[in-house]
Amino acid sequence: MSDAYRLRDDAVVRSSWDDALERGGEMLVLAGNDVTLLSPLAAEAVLAARHGITVVALAERLVCAFGEPEGGDAGDMAREVVLALVPRGVMTLESAE
């Protein structure tokens, strides 16, 4: 089972960055010493998660903005975005406690 399936629907994710530039739907984010270029989908995800959001609510927000993913599940799409951005320091997972 992949990490994407271990991230619960009610897990809360939050984004944080030190500086960012938006242009043409993309976003260039500085988090610590790392610079990451975000696709429009990832940019929407980090903007939605700025003050904390559950994985299921993030999936709903992404579907509203981009439509249902072709050949996939919206929840899995949201999990993949989160799990790609956590190691970059752009998103964090909050403790369930």
Side-chain angles (χ1 to χ4, degrees):
M1 187 177 274
S2 75
D3 286 340
Y5 294 100
R6 288 188 218 142
L7 188 56
R8 296 171 36 145
D9 283 346
D10 63 350
V12 176
V13 296
R14 183 177 304 273
S15 61
S16 67
W17 60 83
D18 299 313
D19 203 359
L21 297 170
E22 293 180 70
R23 187 169 126 195
E26 294 180 325
M27 192 171 176
L28 190 62
V29 176
L30 174 66
N33 292 326
D34 292 323
V35 175
T36 304
L37 178 61
L38 303 178
S39 68
L41 183 114
E44 179 68 26
V46 299
L47 291 171
R50 190 68 173 161
H51 300 289
I53 192 169
T54 63
V55 171
V56 72
L58 178 59
E60 291 169 2
R61 174 95 175 246
L62 294 175
V63 166
C64 285
F66 298 96
E68 289 285 340
E70 285 188 33
D73 175 77
D76 291 342
M77 173 185 61
R79 288 177 186 85
E80 288 177 22
V81 170
V82 169
L83 293 173
L85 295 178
V86 166
R88 301 291 309 162
V90 178
M91 282 192 156
T92 58
L93 296 169
E94 294 188 0
S95 172
E97 297 180 72

